[in-house]
Amino acid sequence: MNTEIFGIILMYATVLLIAIPFGSYIGKVFNNDKTWPDMVFNPLDNLFYKLGGINPGKDMNWKQHLLALLTINIVWFIISMFVLTNMSWLPLNPDNNPSMSGDLAFNTAVSFVTNTNLQHYSGESGLSYFGQLILMLWQFISAGCGIAIAAVVFFAMKENSIDRLGNFYRLFVRSCTRILFPVALVVALLLVFNGTPMTFEGKQTITSLQGDTVQVSRGPVAAFVAIKQLGTNGGGFFGPNSAHPLENPSYVTNIIETVSIFLIPIAMIFALGYILKRQKFAWIIFGVMTIGFLLLLIPTVINELGGNPAIARMGIAQPLGSMEGKEVRFGPAASAYWSINTTVTSNGSVNAMHDSLTPLSGMNALLGMMVNCFYGGVGVGFLNFYIFIILAVFISGLMVGRTPEFLGKKIEAREMKIAMIIALLHPLLILAGTAIASHIYANDPKTYAGWLNNPGYHGFSEMLYEFTSSSANNGSGFEGLGDNTPFWNIACGIVMLLARYLPIIGPVAIAGSLASKKYIPESAGTLKTDTVTFGILVFAVIAIVAALSFFPALALGPIAEYFSLY
Amino acid sequence: MKENIFPAIRITLVCLLFFSGLYSLINLGAAQLASNNGKGDTIIQNGKTYFTNVGQQFTDDRYFYSRPSAVAYNAAGAGGSNKGPSNAGYLKTIRDRLDTFMVHNPGVNKSDIPSDLITASGSGLDPHISVQAANVQVKRIAKIRGIAKENIQQLILSHTEMPLLGLFGTERINVLKLNIALDKLN
């Protein structure tokens, strides 16, 4: 058991050791400072600009940035829809998998373009290799899009930035080629040489030692898994994601894949410190996020190692812990660690089935997504956190009775309205969605019997989880939910769309509006944002918003299940 | 909108060539140097090919059982049970598995049976069992195969995969490798 805890410590220490210097590197990439791989990437990026017909030197204001982002996302959606509904006759389909139905294609296209990677299909039977490669493209560039737009907000937070917020395409290309690509390549190669398949051959039929005939699905798995982990995408090549022994064959690959989840989200915080030249502010943000993460992690590890009390009552041993839905090669501690990593960052990959987690672990996974900014998704995680900073600044301003200021800019009614709308959008989408689904189910449980894989409180949790995951752009699931139906495909698709673009538009609008205001130099009366006190205040705002919004729903699901079981 | 649409389409196509195309090809090229050319690690035994990492169903009493699977070890449609911990139907399944195990392994203490032997894995393809899960089956296998218990225990010991560097992770046993070695004992 101790070796399992050591494994967790190793994974967290490794990610910190890499993420802190990598954050400075990301800062340099955004600032156009010199970095050592420039001699490779300068010509490469120039090729991208030339073929793309882009003038990378043209500065944009915040509205132009948003317009460019939304336009390119629409293009991606249209390409996705075409490919997913025509896979059966397109190339690279050795297993002869069918095309998707319209509603499933809509859900999948939205899911991958919005960096969610919610999957209402199983990769083995639901996609051709061509489909997989197209989705892998979105895994790169939707993540690059999130990183680029976070950079825009970073720039807007600088003094005297006004309208000089960089060029969207330039930030986007640099995010993809200089941040995501090199790391993805290293991770993919590590996976290739540690037993993860990378082939375009189809299924192989084998006869097992006992004499059964089975087919084994394969594919270009290593390339896909690397970027799925790094870009907080999370969509697995196979149905069971990184629980699948070909997607994650050993404890070593599990370390590599787990470290990849946190790497860029943590590095982005230090990139912010580099760009603003406020390292202490970055460390305060990091501190708040880390405390939130640990508060979710520690009880989850304890619960999973403790096992299922209903099984303990049968009189058998649970030396490993709760093993339903888990793999022996990882053990429950590493799976508990992954489950919180993946939910706080909006990654959504899994190495154990979340539906089978013990009740409070399931609740912590839900809470990670409900808060959605403890590290958060690549780029967008900081945007969510930014909203909470604005709220905290405003509240602390009220407490001392002066106009709230953040980094030398006055926060006024307009910014506050946007911040409140964005802060309340997430609970609205989750709770309204779950309420509608529960109503439909409760009215006619016979017709919708296929929805829920578990009765009672846990069944409610399955629906709550699906909407939370969609709204957090996470993509993990309580996968027992029978979700490939028009209702779930379309409802989740709409939630993912709103929950991706509005929380990008809001913070960028606030940052852009603040950037255009007059800079007020720091004085004795300025609220200092790089102090522990301010950190505590931000944490309190996050905790209060989450508790007030979600406690009733959690009480009906995982908390009720906990008391029925223990 | 107009000034954005053409750059958007063009840059997307460039990305398609680079990230879906070139990136995949680099990895595919590297995979030719990896074991079995990146087609998945295999064990070849008596002319038959098995995937090292893909678990197989073992329900025959002559072999060490592998873990239960929600998909019967179908590696073309893997998955877990997705049963919640309080689900009454699920708990009945667990109890039935336990009873079946007790019938096939007379004289075993309930408290010696580890939960990984009666719960389904996340992938339904778990290639491993815990060391305790192997030990609890020794008596049955020794009797059916007519091999001394000590020999089988020795086999388990030599097939136990230790935590990484002895420090990180779980102890485990690859059931397929163990059973192949078991066949060689006779």
Side-chain angles (χ1 to χ4, degrees):
Chain A
M1 185 165 122
N2 272 335
T3 53
E4 288 194 60
I5 303 290
F6 286 149
I8 294 181
I9 296 170
L10 172 76
M11 288 188 271
Y12 193 70
T14 309
V15 80
L16 277 192
L17 276 178
I18 308 174
I20 294 173
F22 193 60
S24 309
Y25 169 77
I26 294 177
K28 285 177 190 161
V29 168
F30 291 157
N31 272 357
N32 298 326
D33 295 347
K34 273 211 174 82
T35 55
W36 61 265
D38 278 350
M39 53 186 167
V40 182
F41 290 127
N42 282 345
L44 180 68
D45 287 356
N46 286 335
L47 189 68
F48 270 76
Y49 303 142
K50 204 175 153 201
L51 295 175
I54 285 157
N55 172 10
K58 195 182 147 217
D59 266 331
M60 296 178 169
N61 63 28
W62 67 270
K63 284 180 191 158
Q64 290 166 321
H65 273 286
L66 287 177
L67 204 60
L69 181 147
L70 293 174
T71 311
I72 201 167
N73 275 258
I74 292 170
V75 170
W76 299 347
F77 173 76
I78 294 169
I79 299 175
S80 286
M81 282 301 284
F82 173 77
V83 172
L84 293 173
T85 50
N86 289 283
M87 285 183 298
S88 58
W89 60 268
L90 286 166
L92 292 178
N93 191 7
D95 294 335
N96 292 316
N97 287 336
S99 302
M100 282 187 180
S101 65
D103 56 310
L104 181 58
F106 167 73
N107 184 281
T108 308
V110 169
S111 168
F112 278 78
V113 168
T114 59
N115 198 246
T116 309
N117 291 212
L118 191 73
Q119 295 170 295
H120 288 178
Y121 63 90
S122 273
E124 296 97 315
S125 53
L127 283 178
S128 68
Y129 293 161
F130 188 71
Q132 297 273 22
L133 289 184
I134 290 293
L135 295 187
M136 187 175 81
L137 174 63
W138 313 140
Q139 294 189 326
F140 269 103
I141 60 186
S142 72
C145 208
I147 298 175
I149 206 70
V152 173
V153 173
F154 291 176
F155 290 150
M157 288 163 73
K158 282 162 77 167
E159 295 166 30
N160 309 322
S161 52
I162 316 194
D163 267 358
R164 291 196 308 257
L165 302 179
N167 179 281
F168 177 78
Y169 298 109
R170 182 188 180 119
L171 288 169
F172 165 70
V173 168
R174 287 172 78 91
S175 301
C176 293
T177 56
R178 294 173 190 238
I179 299 171
L180 293 167
F181 172 69
V183 191
L185 189 59
V186 170
V187 171
L189 292 176
L190 285 171
L191 293 177
V192 164
F193 289 103
N194 279 286
T196 311
M198 184 67 207
T199 172
F200 282 95
E201 287 185 18
K203 287 177 210 167
Q204 183 169 346
T205 305
I206 62 162
T207 309
S208 76
L209 184 58
Q210 193 182 270
D212 309 323
T213 303
V214 286
Q215 291 188 309
V216 179
S217 290
R218 296 172 298 177
V221 185
F224 192 92
V225 171
I227 185 60
K228 139 200 143 183
Q229 293 302 100
L230 283 165
T232 59
N233 295 291
F237 192 92
F238 300 113
N241 214 295
S242 280
H244 194 293
L246 292 181
E247 202 160 325
N248 193 359
S250 67
Y251 198 77
V252 174
T253 57
N254 190 60
I255 291 175
I256 298 166
E257 292 181 19
T258 312
V259 165
S260 302
I261 297 178
F262 265 178
L263 177 62
I264 296 176
I266 293 183
M268 285 300 283
I269 307 166
F270 295 101
L272 169 79
Y274 180 90
I275 289 175
L276 297 184
K277 299 194 177 63
R278 288 172 184 269
Q279 293 295 348
K280 201 178 161 204
F281 182 51
W283 278 102
I284 293 290
I285 295 177
F286 174 75
V288 171
M289 291 177 167
T290 303
I291 288 169
F293 164 63
L294 291 176
L295 284 175
L296 296 175
L297 174 71
I298 293 166
T300 305
V301 172
I302 292 171
N303 270 289
E304 292 312 298
L305 286 176
N308 180 348
I311 291 181
R313 268 176 236 129
M314 295 175 196
I316 64 152
Q318 298 190 77
L320 284 169
S322 171
M323 285 307 290
E324 183 70 33
K326 295 201 184 64
E327 307 283 306
V328 172
R329 64 190 178 283
F330 311 140
S335 288
Y337 182 70
W338 181 307
S339 72
I340 299 301
N341 270 243
T342 195
T343 44
V344 296
T345 54
S346 100
N347 185 297
S349 61
V350 296
N351 76 353
M353 294 302 115
H354 286 195
D355 216 344
S356 301
L357 292 174
T358 55
L360 292 188
S361 303
M363 181 179 80
N364 289 341
L366 277 162
L367 272 171
M369 297 187 288
M370 287 164 170
V371 171
N372 208 19
C373 69
F374 293 149
Y375 306 131
V378 289
V380 292
F382 177 77
L383 300 194
N384 293 336
F385 196 83
Y386 182 78
I387 293 291
F388 288 114
I389 293 178
I390 299 288
L391 294 181
V393 167
F394 181 73
I395 290 169
S396 54
L398 288 184
M399 284 159 103
V400 296
R402 47 168 54 243
T403 317
E405 291 165 17
F406 176 50
L407 301 180
K409 303 293 172 77
K410 275 199 177 119
I411 294 178
E412 290 166 302
R414 176 152 177 259
E415 292 83 31
M416 278 314 296
K417 276 183 202 155
I418 301 175
M420 280 315 300
I421 290 171
I422 301 302
L424 295 177
L425 174 78
H426 188 48
L428 176 74
L429 291 175
I430 294 172
L431 298 175
T434 311
I436 293 169
S438 304
H439 179 77
I440 295 175
Y441 178 83
N443 250 353
D444 193 355
K446 273 203 187 114
T447 310
Y448 299 103
W451 279 13
L452 303 184
N453 190 38
N454 291 285
Y457 309 123
H458 198 87
F460 175 78
S461 300
E462 286 182 336
M463 295 190 279
L464 177 65
Y465 197 103
E466 191 72 3
F467 277 105
T468 308
S469 174
S470 301
S471 184
N473 285 172
N474 183 278
S476 64
F478 272 16
E479 289 299 342
L481 186 75
D483 48 20
N484 184 13
T485 66
F487 172 80
W488 286 102
N489 284 337
I490 293 166
C492 292
I494 293 169
V495 169
M496 286 187 279
L497 279 175
L498 293 172
R500 169 72 169 178
Y501 298 108
L502 294 180
I504 285 179
I505 294 170
V508 172
I510 294 175
S513 147
L514 290 181
S516 62
K517 290 187 184 181
K518 217 179 92 198
Y519 179 74
I520 309 155
E522 276 189 24
S523 68
T526 306
L527 171 75
K528 291 232 173 358
T529 47
D530 53 0
T531 60
V532 175
T533 318
F534 184 72
I536 293 170
L537 197 72
V538 175
F539 188 86
V541 169
I542 294 173
I544 291 166
V545 169
L548 289 179
S549 311
F550 297 115
F551 180 75
L554 291 174
L556 289 175
I559 296 175
E561 190 186 12
Y562 173 85
F563 284 113
S564 73
L565 197 55
Y566 283 80
Chain B
M1 192 80 183
K2 227 194 217 158
E3 60 183 297
N4 283 313
I5 191 115
F6 290 108
I9 293 171
R10 284 169 67 176
I11 201 81
T12 302
L13 293 177
V14 181
C15 287
L16 176 69
L17 289 177
F18 189 79
F19 294 112
S20 292
L22 188 66
Y23 166 74
S24 304
L25 287 177
I26 296 172
N27 282 308
L28 192 64
Q32 305 314 311
L33 307 173
S35 61
N36 194 26
N37 300 339
K39 293 172 194 166
D41 293 353
T42 50
I43 302 173
I44 297 173
Q45 183 69 29
N46 298 334
K48 288 188 356 184
T49 303
Y50 310 116
F51 283 88
T52 318
N53 295 318
V54 178
Q56 298 185 359
Q57 185 150 39
F58 288 105
T59 45
D60 191 329
D61 280 352
R62 296 172 49 78
Y63 287 115
F64 283 95
Y65 300 154
S66 47
R67 297 183 62 190
S69 163
V71 295
Y73 285 89
N74 168 17
S81 73
N82 287 307
K83 295 295 182 191
S86 64
N87 184 329
Y90 159 71
L91 292 171
K92 184 176 178 303
T93 309
I94 297 286
R95 231 172 280 124
D96 291 346
R97 283 183 193 146
L98 185 57
D99 294 342
T100 311
F101 188 88
M102 297 292 284
V103 170
H104 286 254
N105 294 270
V108 163
N109 277 332
K110 248 190 192 179
S111 58
D112 288 338
I113 303 171
S115 61
D116 57 307
L117 262 188
I118 51 164
T119 52
S121 63
S123 60
L125 303 174
D126 196 339
H128 296 101
I129 53 175
S130 65
V131 179
Q132 199 175 343
N135 283 332
V136 77
Q137 302 185 54
V138 168
K139 198 172 169 186
R140 178 191 84 231
I141 291 169
K143 196 172 163 208
I144 294 184
R145 293 203 174 227
I147 310 175
K149 275 189 204 165
E150 291 71 30
N151 292 354
I152 299 179
Q153 271 153 353
Q154 191 55 44
L155 204 62
I156 292 175
L157 216 58
S158 63
H159 279 81
T160 302
E161 297 169 21
M162 299 306 285
L164 182 65
L165 307 174
L167 280 176
F168 308 112
T170 55
E171 280 184 15
R172 61 214 174 267
I173 292 172
N174 185 308
V175 190
L176 175 64
K177 287 184 189 167
L178 182 65
N179 281 331
I180 289 176
L182 187 62
D183 271 351
K184 283 187 192 157
L185 267 190
N186 282 70

